Amino acid sequence: QVQLVESGGGLVQAGGSLRLSCAASGSIFSINAMGWYRQAPGKQRELVAALVSGGSPNYADSVKGRFTIPRDNARNTVYLQMNSLKPEDTAVYYCYAAIRQRPIAPETQYWGQGTQVTVSS
């Protein structure tokens, strides 16, 4: 089985920073993509940032220039570094990973449990 464990959410004032972490563990042959979504109350889940192996990161327009998505391949971990936070960044943040458990197995998407980020004005 595969698990994604998130950490790092919390309460921060506008203009502050937070770093989220998401570590994948279990039976993993390869991780082809990792990224972050978020969902605010009453809104649809939206993509925040994504990183495909060997590619450049993609960011939602609303976070470009403020968020980055570094990845530690040796630890199967992806981070979301969030700077200059705004109240509208308040949401539950979910990490995901597209994982292949065996060389010829199909790719499966896994999700973290979600972590709350609250930005006060």
Side-chain angles (χ1 to χ4, degrees):
Q1 291 295 333
V2 172
Q3 278 192 318
L4 298 185
V5 178
E6 301 178 32
S7 61
L11 173 64
V12 65
Q13 288 189 331
S17 297
L18 278 176
R19 189 176 83 155
L20 307 182
S21 300
C22 173
S25 63
S27 178
I28 298 171
F29 173 73
S30 64
I31 301 178
N32 302 324
M34 297 187 84
W36 296 89
Y37 279 75
R38 68 185 179 187
Q39 187 165 21
K43 295 188 176 181
Q44 288 189 331
R45 190 175 293 193
E46 63 173 353
L47 179 66
V48 177
L51 184 59
V52 177
S53 294
S56 299
N58 291 315
Y59 299 99
D61 288 343
S62 58
V63 307
K64 282 180 181 176
R66 301 188 297 123
F67 291 11
T68 59
I69 182 171
R71 177 174 166 178
D72 184 339
N73 291 328
R75 291 182 169 84
N76 289 336
T77 298
V78 68
Y79 304 92
L80 187 66
Q81 178 65 45
M82 304 184 291
N83 300 325
S84 303
L85 282 161
K86 304 176 181 180
E88 51 264 43
D89 294 317
T90 295
V92 177
Y93 285 69
Y94 299 90
C95 73
Y96 78 92
I99 291 174
R100 203 180 300 275
Q101 289 191 272
R102 294 180 302 281
I104 60 171
E107 189 178 281
T108 302
Q109 189 153 304
Y110 293 89
W111 291 89
Q113 79 278 14
T115 186
Q116 177 70 46
V117 171
T118 302
V119 184
S120 63
S121 57

